[in-house]
Amino acid sequence: MPPPRAHLLTYHGVLEPASALRSAIVPGAGRSARPRRPLRSGQEGRGGPCAAPHARRYPWAALRKRVFTVDVLHCEGCGGRRVILAAITQAAVVAAILISLGLPTALPVRHPARPPPGYEW
């Protein structure tokens, strides 16, 4: 496990960030990756009061959509957006809700994996 905030990928030679030749081979090197928007009236330069901090934490639904390309908050029935009403973490409350809905409260039995066909012990 790498230490927190450690670089897992390092570039050497022409691809390294400080290379003088990087801008010749990497598109967009040497200039900001994002085009800058013009400042609005009353807005100061970089780091001013209107500058939004970088989001370090993404909502779980945004992560699922980003990784699996599945929008878990999209309702297939009506096409609208789902809203999380509650997050229930107490086992007794979860069991009571499952019982009232007629759903099982016990975990299913896990069976060992089958050996491949033709495998001899």
Side-chain angles (χ1 to χ4, degrees):
M1 201 61 161
R5 295 170 296 285
H7 293 287
L8 300 180
L9 182 62
T10 313
Y11 293 103
H12 297 280
V14 178
L15 292 177
E16 75 178 67
S19 173
L21 299 174
R22 181 178 166 89
S23 61
I25 61 168
V26 177
R31 63 178 184 267
S32 175
R34 264 189 247 165
R36 293 184 183 251
R37 291 183 288 157
L39 296 176
R40 290 178 269 167
S41 62
Q43 184 180 18
E44 295 179 16
R46 192 174 182 99
C50 293
H54 178 68
R56 291 181 182 254
R57 296 178 187 232
Y58 292 95
W60 68 273
L63 288 174
R64 298 280 292 211
K65 186 174 183 180
R66 190 172 176 173
V67 173
F68 300 111
T69 63
V70 175
D71 189 3
V72 293
L73 296 180
H74 175 75
C75 179
E76 294 84 13
C78 68
R81 299 290 292 169
R82 293 183 177 128
V83 178
I84 300 172
L85 298 177
I88 303 168
T89 58
Q90 296 87 11
V93 176
V94 172
I97 292 172
L98 290 174
I99 290 171
S100 70
L101 294 174
L103 297 172
T105 58
L107 293 174
V109 178
R110 294 179 65 185
H111 299 286
R114 295 185 303 260
Y119 182 79
E120 297 293 327
W121 290 98

